[in-house]
Amino acid sequence: MKTVLINGDCLEQMKRLPDNSVDSIVTDPPYGISFMAKKWDYDVPKVEVWKEAMRVLKHGGHALIACGTRTQHRMVVNIEDAGFEIRDVVSWIYGSGFPKSLNIHKKDERCPDGWGTALKPACEFFTLARKPLSEKTVAANVLKWGTGGINIDGCRVGTEGATKKVDTNKCRESLGKYGDGLNGGKVSKLNMGRFPANLIHDGSQQVLELFPESNHKTGGKFKAKGAFPIESEPVRHNDKGSAARFFYCPKASKKDRDEGLEGFEGVENSNGDKWSDVDRRDGKVPVVRKNTHPTVKPTALMAYLCRLITPTGGTVLDPYMGSGSTGKAAVGEGFNFVGIELDEDYFKIAEARVNYGH
């Protein structure tokens, strides 16, 4: 297992990497919302960055690129304009987001009470993109490059709940192709976990309440009784309507953020601003932190994403390494890792955290 950590501008540094040299890209780049007035967050990465990232990625290799709700459209357009194929968007929903809305009435009592300026943040997106195949089929591309598919079985959720259809007339399994003639086939249960979905949740009570358990094992599908969905009733399936069908991961804990930084001095949060939403507990915020990056992703989340799109023994690239969560996760999963970070202070933190993961 090999790690290469680079302190520098990702566009310039990626130009030094060989063509088709990494198997996947998992990264949390700037969202372009000027978060906490940080200069590095003034805009989303430009097309030129993603073109260079695509060059070093193997044909058929996937990328998972994080973004917030406000600028997701700009991020995706730039990724697509660079030549990537947009395959999906993975939504990470959480209940611990803190509203950043301005109470207009408090600023001027002449304004109506109860009006604000923003919604409570509850999700972030990871764009799933793929470099175009070099071969005529995905299978041929996988045989040549090792990339092109995603690791379904390695990212199944739980150990039970999977199903497959078998054609009772021809005794064959469904290939998962629409209209393959198995609509009337028999459904068999498998104890291998649920198929990974494009939704991840944090396990908070607010989110779990969106997926209530059902006494009748409903599958969440509805049959309309009338003209509008509000008059519908559930169709019964041999399935539980709970959040257990989705992978879950809470926001980064203090232990996770500071793991590997035992030798670092804590930095006092003297200006009174909270480091992140997850720090707020009953109005209290910590005064000292070793990992000073404001947008630390949880290691478990990044490990799941790395595993989803990286072949065994492959190399993960993170051109916006930040404090090193992707690298820490990648080496923990047994992957090689290349990380690039411009900020010198964040780079030192990332270096310590990634090395801790070995």
Side-chain angles (χ1 to χ4, degrees), residues 22 34 40 45 59 65 67 79 87 90 93 99 137 142 146 158 186 200 217 219 241 284 293 302 317 328 336 357-358:
V22 302
S34 299
W40 49 260
H59 292 283
I65 302 164
C67 195
I79 295 168
R87 305 292 294 178
V90 178
I93 61 173
T137 67
V142 171
K186 181 181 178 181
I200 296 172
K217 297 184 178 181
K284 298 179 180 180
H293 199 283
M302 307 315 287
L317 168 66
K328 181 170 175 253
N336 302 311
H358 275 283

Coordinates of all heavy atoms in Angstrom, one line a residue, residues 22 34 40 45 59 65 67 79 87 90 93 99 137 142 146 158 186 200 217 219 241 284 293 302 317 328 336 357-358:
V22 N -4.7 6.5 -11.9 CA -5.5 6.3 -10.6 C -6.8 5.6 -11.0 O -7.3 5.7 -12.1 CB -5.8 7.6 -9.9 CG1 -4.5 8.3 -9.5 CG2 -6.7 8.5 -10.7
S34 N -18.3 30.6 -0.1 CA -17.6 31.5 0.9 C -17.8 31.1 2.3 O -18.0 31.9 3.2 CB -17.9 32.9 0.6 OG -17.6 33.3 -0.7
W40 N -10.5 30.0 0.0 CA -10.5 28.8 -0.9 C -11.9 28.4 -1.3 O -12.1 27.5 -2.2 CB -9.7 27.7 -0.2 CG -10.1 27.4 1.2 CD1 -9.4 27.8 2.3 CD2 -11.2 26.6 1.7 NE1 -10.1 27.3 3.5 CE2 -11.2 26.6 3.1 CE3 -12.3 25.9 1.0 CZ2 -12.1 25.9 3.9 CZ3 -13.2 25.3 1.8 CH2 -13.1 25.2 3.2
P45 N -14.6 24.2 -8.2 CA -13.5 24.0 -9.2 C -13.9 24.2 -10.6 O -15.0 23.8 -11.0 CB -13.1 22.6 -8.9 CG -13.5 22.3 -7.5 CD -14.8 23.1 -7.3
H59 N -9.6 4.8 -17.8 CA -10.8 4.7 -18.6 C -11.9 3.9 -17.8 O -11.6 2.8 -17.4 CB -10.6 4.1 -19.9 CG -9.7 5.0 -20.8 ND1 -10.3 6.1 -21.5 CD2 -8.4 4.9 -21.2 CE1 -9.3 6.7 -22.2 NE2 -8.2 6.0 -22.0
I65 N -17.8 13.2 -6.1 CA -17.4 14.6 -5.8 C -18.5 15.3 -5.0 O -19.6 15.4 -5.5 CB -17.2 15.3 -7.2 CG1 -16.1 14.6 -8.0 CG2 -16.8 16.7 -6.9 CD1 -16.0 15.0 -9.4
C67 N -20.7 18.1 -2.9 CA -21.1 19.5 -3.1 C -22.3 19.8 -2.3 O -23.1 18.8 -1.9 CB -21.4 19.8 -4.6 SG -21.5 21.6 -4.9
I79 N -18.1 19.5 -14.1 CA -17.7 18.1 -14.3 C -18.1 17.5 -15.6 O -17.3 16.8 -16.3 CB -18.3 17.2 -13.1 CG1 -17.7 17.7 -11.8 CG2 -17.9 15.7 -13.3 CD1 -18.5 17.2 -10.6
R87 N -23.4 9.8 -13.8 CA -24.0 8.5 -13.6 C -25.1 8.6 -12.6 O -26.2 7.9 -12.7 CB -23.0 7.5 -13.2 CG -21.8 7.3 -14.1 CD -22.3 6.7 -15.5 NE -22.7 5.3 -15.3 CZ -23.2 4.6 -16.3 NH1 -23.3 5.1 -17.5 NH2 -23.6 3.4 -16.1
V90 N -25.4 10.8 -5.2 CA -25.6 10.2 -3.9 C -25.9 11.3 -2.9 O -25.1 12.2 -2.7 CB -24.4 9.4 -3.5 CG1 -24.6 8.7 -2.1 CG2 -24.0 8.3 -4.5
I93 N -28.1 12.5 3.8 CA -29.0 13.4 4.6 C -28.7 13.2 6.1 O -28.3 12.1 6.6 CB -30.5 13.0 4.3 CG1 -30.8 11.5 4.6 CG2 -30.8 13.2 2.8 CD1 -32.3 11.2 4.5
P99 N -29.7 25.6 11.5 CA -30.3 26.6 10.6 C -29.4 27.9 10.7 O -29.0 28.3 11.8 CB -31.7 26.9 11.2 CG -32.0 25.7 12.0 CD -30.7 25.1 12.5
T137 N -17.4 -2.5 -24.5 CA -18.3 -2.9 -23.4 C -17.7 -2.7 -22.1 O -16.5 -2.5 -21.9 CB -18.6 -4.4 -23.5 OG1 -17.5 -5.2 -23.3 CG2 -19.2 -4.8 -24.9
V142 N -13.4 -3.4 -18.0 CA -12.9 -3.9 -16.7 C -11.7 -4.9 -16.9 O -10.8 -4.8 -16.1 CB -14.1 -4.6 -16.0 CG1 -13.6 -5.4 -14.7 CG2 -15.1 -3.6 -15.6
G146 N -9.4 -2.6 -15.3 CA -9.8 -2.9 -13.9 C -10.9 -2.0 -13.4 O -11.3 -2.1 -12.2
G158 N -26.3 -4.2 5.5 CA -26.8 -5.2 6.3 C -26.4 -6.6 5.8 O -25.6 -6.7 4.8
K186 N -40.8 -15.8 -9.9 CA -40.8 -16.0 -8.4 C -39.7 -15.1 -7.8 O -38.6 -15.1 -8.3 CB -40.6 -17.4 -8.1 CG -40.6 -17.7 -6.6 CD -40.4 -19.2 -6.4 CE -40.4 -19.5 -4.9 NZ -40.1 -21.0 -4.6
I200 N -27.7 8.0 1.6 CA -27.0 7.7 2.8 C -27.6 8.6 3.9 O -27.9 9.8 3.6 CB -25.5 8.0 2.7 CG1 -24.9 7.0 1.6 CG2 -24.8 7.8 4.0 CD1 -23.5 7.3 1.2
K217 N -45.2 -4.7 7.1 CA -44.0 -4.9 6.2 C -44.2 -4.3 4.8 O -44.1 -4.9 3.8 CB -43.7 -6.4 6.1 CG -43.2 -7.0 7.4 CD -42.8 -8.4 7.2 CE -42.4 -9.1 8.5 NZ -42.0 -10.5 8.3
G219 N -43.4 -2.0 1.6 CA -42.1 -1.7 0.8 C -42.0 -0.2 0.5 O -41.1 0.1 -0.3
G241 N -40.3 -1.2 6.0 CA -40.2 0.2 5.5 C -39.4 1.0 6.5 O -39.9 1.8 7.2
K284 N -23.8 25.3 23.4 CA -22.4 25.3 23.8 C -21.5 24.9 22.6 O -21.8 24.0 21.9 CB -22.1 24.3 25.0 CG -22.9 24.7 26.2 CD -22.7 23.7 27.3 CE -23.5 24.1 28.6 NZ -23.2 23.2 29.7
H293 N -9.9 22.3 10.4 CA -10.6 22.4 9.1 C -12.1 22.4 9.4 O -12.7 21.7 10.2 CB -10.3 21.2 8.2 CG -10.7 21.4 6.8 ND1 -12.0 21.3 6.3 CD2 -9.9 21.7 5.7 CE1 -12.0 21.6 5.0 NE2 -10.8 21.8 4.6
M302 N -16.4 8.3 4.0 CA -15.5 8.3 2.9 C -15.0 6.9 2.6 O -14.7 6.5 1.4 CB -14.3 9.2 3.2 CG -14.8 10.7 3.6 SD -16.0 11.4 2.5 CE -15.1 11.7 1.0
L317 N -7.6 8.9 -5.7 CA -7.0 10.3 -5.8 C -8.0 11.3 -5.1 O -9.2 11.2 -5.4 CB -6.8 10.7 -7.2 CG -6.6 12.2 -7.5 CD1 -5.2 12.7 -6.9 CD2 -6.6 12.5 -9.0
K328 N -7.4 9.0 5.0 CA -7.4 8.1 6.2 C -8.4 6.9 5.9 O -8.1 5.8 6.3 CB -8.0 9.0 7.3 CG -8.1 8.3 8.7 CD -8.4 9.3 9.8 CE -8.7 8.6 11.1 NZ -10.1 8.7 11.5
N336 N -4.3 2.3 -2.2 CA -3.2 3.3 -2.4 C -3.9 4.6 -2.4 O -5.1 4.7 -2.8 CB -2.4 3.0 -3.7 CG -1.8 1.7 -3.7 OD1 -1.2 1.2 -2.8 ND2 -2.0 0.9 -4.8
G357 N -3.9 6.3 9.7 CA -4.7 5.2 9.1 C -3.9 4.0 8.7 O -4.5 2.9 8.4
H358 N -2.6 4.1 8.6 CA -1.8 2.9 8.1 C -1.8 1.8 9.2 O -1.7 2.1 10.4 CB -0.4 3.4 7.8 CG -0.2 3.9 6.5 ND1 -0.1 3.1 5.3 CD2 -0.1 5.2 6.0 CE1 0.0 3.9 4.3 NE2 0.0 5.2 4.7

